[in-house]
């Protein structure tokens, strides 16, 4: 059935009706709140600016980092970004200097089911349409750099096959002898497009290139995105790009971006991406936006540089990790912390009544479809059943040695009885506090109690505990994560076993894991809700991201190119004659 479209853009509420332009302040005013000067900024219009990383100065006091995660979400998300933004606003209302650090949204979800990632209501990043559409062009620069390497790889393959040994004589460059079956670098695009999951390139051969099967991934899955998020400097980013393994030779040797001679040009395309972007919330709280790796197929956190900048400039930095604690939070500790040494002082777990009821397993939640009415009705037994998921996430977060605060993202139809039950339950499971967040409706005023509890938790003495040492084998690291999920066993495809052996032989076994799995279950099976038990974790493939510095482990059927549903968000987006964007959420 074709969805009903609005007849004209005039029928929709303009964005400015929700967030009047009067709320916005010139970006240099926001920068001044942080002690940044005009020389520290690279302006992008009136309300956005990149912050030159030369503003990072060694030494001096450091703020405290607050890591926001969640229970297992529904396909629609449960307000983690709203809570992150609202919490930073609440911290500022208490008289402290607070900053939020979030990822740049991908156009895939923006035009797909989930929509934008600016927060919402009274707790969002402004201008929202700037954040959700292009921002300062970082994702496009990453796409261009990534696709340059893909084009260079196919060009080198074509010319070496065309000229044979004469290639070296004519160019002075060595033969790379690229194995067509071992090309590891697909092209990328920042959209959901299932038709590109399996493609054929060089069709027709001859001057069209070497014909071979390939695929396209979404830009958020690119190793370049992870490299940007983990780099400490422009030099570090350049070196990491050079280490990317693009393919293997017919003799089995890795072929890197440096070997191909394309890494310098890739870094040049990404030069400006190294600087985080400064924006503001609906209450003029500073927000740093930088990088956008997904948490299901990548490590799911904003950049190390944004965190460092925020910690230098503010007393409290609120950063968001993608999806549930088994996804972005786990990868923050095992990847981002291991590389940067930046440790949070507290974990905030976002929960909602509806997501806990959804995790009871009674309902079949489908992306793009409204929630069942029964989820919205008061039902303590159903909520109690789903709360086992909350208990798992609290204990999982606590296993890293940090205090946990539960933030209940309140919806208008939530019952007081259920909210009280949830608060008592969270405290009984080991959370140091549980507070309601009304960030969407009230902004910082709706999160001051939560902010105070988080500040109190940050004062607790804690020591971060990692689940496995670097020296453990890749199989041992996989076993540790599988055990934390509750798996009774692990299976490996023959391909995965071969890949693990090759990665180990190449000297990469010391790297941490980046587990790619569904975010909709603690297991690798999206249909297993609540706290799955007695399941098998299927490892289907493994690959090394030598530049980013982790090993990707694929559990189950994971796609690195999402698809569009029957009623994507783009149906509701339009522009009027004044240039105002409508329907973007």
């Amino acid at each position: 059935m074709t969805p009903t479209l609005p007849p004209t853009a005039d029928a929709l509420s303009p964005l400015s009706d929700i967030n009047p332009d009067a709320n916005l302040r010139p970006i240099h005013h926001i920068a001044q709140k942080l002690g940044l000067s005009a020389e520290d900024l690279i302006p992008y219009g009136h309300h956005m600016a990149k912050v030159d990383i030369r503003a990072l100065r060694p030494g001096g006091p450091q703020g405290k980092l607050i890591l926001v995660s969640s229970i297992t979400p529904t396909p629609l998300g449960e307000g983690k970004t709203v809570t992150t933004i609202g919490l930073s606003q609440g911290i500022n209302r208490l008289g402290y200097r607070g900053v939020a650090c979030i990822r740049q949204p991908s156009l895939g979800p923006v035009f797909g089911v989930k929509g934008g990632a600016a927060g919402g209501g009274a707790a969002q990043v402004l201008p929202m349409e700037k954040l959700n559409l292009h921002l300062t062009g970082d994702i496009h620069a990453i796409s261009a750099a990534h696709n340059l390497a893909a084009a260079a790889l196919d060009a080198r393959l074509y010319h070496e096959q065309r000229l044979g040994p004469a290639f070296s004589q004519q160019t002075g460059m060595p033969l790379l002898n690229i194995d067509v079956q071992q090309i590891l670098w697909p092209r990328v695009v920042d959209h959901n497009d299932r038709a590109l999951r399996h493609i054929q390139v060089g069709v027709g051969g001859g001057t069209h290139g070497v014909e071979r099967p390939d695929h396209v991934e979404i830009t958020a899955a690119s190793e370049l995105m992870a490299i940007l998020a983990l780099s400490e400097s422009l030099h570090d980013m350049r070196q990491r790009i050079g280490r990317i393994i693009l393919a293997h030779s017919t003799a089995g040797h890795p072929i890197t971006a440096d070997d191909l001679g394309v890494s310098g040009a890739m870094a040049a395309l990404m030069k400006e991406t190294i600087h985080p972007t400064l924006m503001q919330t609906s209450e003029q709280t500073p927000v740093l936006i930088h990088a956008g790796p997904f948490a299901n197929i990548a490590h799911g956190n904003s950049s190390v540089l944004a965190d460092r900048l925020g910690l230098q400039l503010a007393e409290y930095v609120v950063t968001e990790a993608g999806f549930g604690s088994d996804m972005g939070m786990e990868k923050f500790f095992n990847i981002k912390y291991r590389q940067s040494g930046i440790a949070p002082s507290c974990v905030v777990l976002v929960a909602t009544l509806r997501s806990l009821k959804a995790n009871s397993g009674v309902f079949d939640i489908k992306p793009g479809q409204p929630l069942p009415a029964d989820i919205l009705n008061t039902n303590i037994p159903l909520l109690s059943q789903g709360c086992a998921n909350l208990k798992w996430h609290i204990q999982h977060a606590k296993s890293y040695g940090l205090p946990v605060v539960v933030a209940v993202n309140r919806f208008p139809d939530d019952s007081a009885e259920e909210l009280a039950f949830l608060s008592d339950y969270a405290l009984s499971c080991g959370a140091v506090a549980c507070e309601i967040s009304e960030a969407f409706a009230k902004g910082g005023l709706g999160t001051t109690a939560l902010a105070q509890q988080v500040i109190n938790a940050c004062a607790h003495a804690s020591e971060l505990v990692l689940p496995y040492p670097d020296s453990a084998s890749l199989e041992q690291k996989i076993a540790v994560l599988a055990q934390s999920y509750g798996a009774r066993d692990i299976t490996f495809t023959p391909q995965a076993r071969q890949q693990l052996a090759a990665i180990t032989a190449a000297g990469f076994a010391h790297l941490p894991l980046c587990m790619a799995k569904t975010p909709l279950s603690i297991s690798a099976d999206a249909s297993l809700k609540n706290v799955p038990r007695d399941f098998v974790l299927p490892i289907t493939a493994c690959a090394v991201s030598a530049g980013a510095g982790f090993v990707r482990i694929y559990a189950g059927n994971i796609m690195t190119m999402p698809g569009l549903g029957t009623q994507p968000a783009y149906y509701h987006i339009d522009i009027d004659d004044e240039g105002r964007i409508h329907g973007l959420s």
Side-chain angles (χ1 to χ4, degrees), residues 462-480:
S462 59
E463 184 174 350
L464 189 61
V465 178
L466 295 176
Y468 56 77
D470 292 342
S471 59
S473 69
L474 294 176
E475 290 84 353
Q476 289 170 333
K477 293 171 183 176
I478 293 170
V480 167

Side-chain angles (χ1 to χ4, degrees), residues 122-148:
Q124 61 179 294
V125 181
L126 301 176
M128 179 262 272
E129 74 276 17
K130 297 287 188 183
L131 174 65
N132 285 323
L133 303 178
H134 312 300
L135 194 62
T136 48
D138 289 357
I139 291 182
H140 301 312
I142 290 169
S143 297
H146 184 114
N147 291 333
L148 174 63

Side-chain angles (χ1 to χ4, degrees), residues 230-241:
L230 293 167
S231 292
E232 295 277 8
S233 65
L234 191 61
H235 173 78
D236 184 29
M237 185 176 78
R238 169 63 181 85
Q239 296 303 306
R240 287 172 178 266
I241 291 172

Side-chain angles (χ1 to χ4, degrees), residues 190-365:
D190 190 34
H191 278 297
N192 294 355
D193 193 345
R194 60 169 43 85
L196 299 178
R197 289 172 182 165
H198 302 282
I199 64 171
Q200 198 79 2
V201 299
V203 175
T207 58
H208 301 299
V210 177
E211 186 167 351
R212 62 181 182 85
D214 203 355
H215 66 285
V216 179
E217 297 182 342
I218 194 164
T219 304
S222 170
E223 185 175 351
L224 290 176
M225 183 67 82
I227 284 174
L228 174 62
L230 293 167
S231 292
E232 295 277 8
S233 65
L234 191 61
H235 173 78
D236 184 29
M237 185 176 78
R238 169 63 181 85
Q239 296 303 306
R240 287 172 178 266
I241 291 172
R243 294 196 295 268
I244 294 172
I245 298 174
L246 303 173
H248 286 92
S249 71
T250 52
H253 302 306
I255 297 171
T256 67
D258 272 351
D259 294 331
L260 190 60
V262 72
S263 50
M266 294 167 69
L269 281 168
M270 289 179 58
K271 175 190 171 188
E272 297 303 321
T273 69
I274 198 70
H275 309 292
T277 299
L278 177 66
M279 296 183 74
Q280 61 189 287
T281 75
S282 37
E283 295 182 4
Q284 296 89 49
T285 298
V287 184
L288 292 168
I289 301 101
H290 204 203
F294 285 171
N296 57 338
I297 53 179
H299 75 284
N301 286 272
S302 60
S303 77
V304 168
L305 283 170
D307 284 356
R308 290 206 187 282
L309 192 61
L311 291 169
Q312 173 185 294
L313 300 172
E315 294 169 275
Y316 294 95
V317 175
V318 187
T319 190
E320 175 190 359
F323 295 121
S325 75
D326 55 318
M327 303 296 290
M329 187 203 78
E330 179 266 311
K331 293 168 185 176
F332 184 103
F333 293 130
N334 283 316
I335 297 175
K336 189 174 180 180
Y337 167 74
R338 287 177 193 264
Q339 294 196 25
S340 69
I342 299 174
S345 297
C346 168
V347 172
V348 175
L349 282 179
V350 179
T352 66
L353 297 179
R354 59 185 61 190
S355 60
L356 288 169
K357 292 176 184 177
N359 272 295
S360 68
V362 174
F363 306 99
D364 183 20
I365 308 297

Side-chain angles (χ1 to χ4, degrees), residues 105-117 131-133 192 568-570 573 583-585:
S106 162
L107 293 180
V110 167
F111 292 114
V113 171
K114 189 175 180 182
L131 174 65
N132 285 323
L133 303 178
N192 294 355
Y570 63 72
I573 299 171
L584 187 63
S585 63

Side-chain angles (χ1 to χ4, degrees), residues 451-522:
Q452 188 59 62
Q453 292 289 4
V454 169
I455 289 169
N456 294 345
C458 286
H460 291 191
S462 59
E463 184 174 350
L464 189 61
V465 178
L466 295 176
Y468 56 77
D470 292 342
S471 59
S473 69
L474 294 176
E475 290 84 353
Q476 289 170 333
K477 293 171 183 176
I478 293 170
V480 167
L481 293 186
Q483 185 178 26
S484 75
Y485 302 149
R488 65 171 169 81
D489 199 5
I490 308 167
T491 60
F492 295 87
T493 63
Q495 171 186 254
R497 287 203 177 278
Q498 292 172 1
Q499 290 165 337
L500 279 176
I503 292 168
T504 300
F508 294 111
H510 66 286
L511 295 178
L513 303 186
C514 181
M515 185 70 74
K517 71 176 190 71
T518 178
L520 302 179
S521 172
I522 296 167

Side-chain angles (χ1 to χ4, degrees), residues 6-134:
T8 66
D10 294 332
L12 297 168
S13 297
L15 185 68
S16 57
D17 286 351
I18 303 171
N19 299 290
D21 289 340
N23 285 351
L24 286 167
R25 296 292 181 267
I27 197 62
H28 66 271
H29 289 178
I30 306 301
Q32 287 171 358
K33 290 184 177 183
L34 296 175
L36 293 169
S37 68
E39 288 72 28
D40 295 322
L41 302 182
I42 306 169
Y44 281 72
H46 300 295
H47 302 120
M48 296 191 304
K50 280 185 169 287
V51 180
D52 195 313
I53 58 170
R54 287 175 291 188
L56 271 171
R57 299 173 181 92
Q62 294 287 299
K64 292 183 180 293
L65 186 67
I66 300 156
L67 181 61
V68 179
S69 184
S70 79
I71 61 171
T72 303
T74 68
L76 301 180
E78 296 302 323
K80 187 149 46 64
T81 305
V82 169
T83 304
T84 298
I85 299 303
L87 178 55
S88 71
Q89 293 176 161
I91 288 170
N92 277 272
R93 283 186 175 271
L94 291 177
Y96 300 96
R97 183 181 289 182
V99 170
C101 288
I102 64 173
R103 291 169 291 164
Q104 178 180 353
S106 162
L107 293 180
V110 167
F111 292 114
V113 171
K114 189 175 180 182
Q124 61 179 294
V125 181
L126 301 176
M128 179 262 272
E129 74 276 17
K130 297 287 188 183
L131 174 65
N132 285 323
L133 303 178
H134 312 300

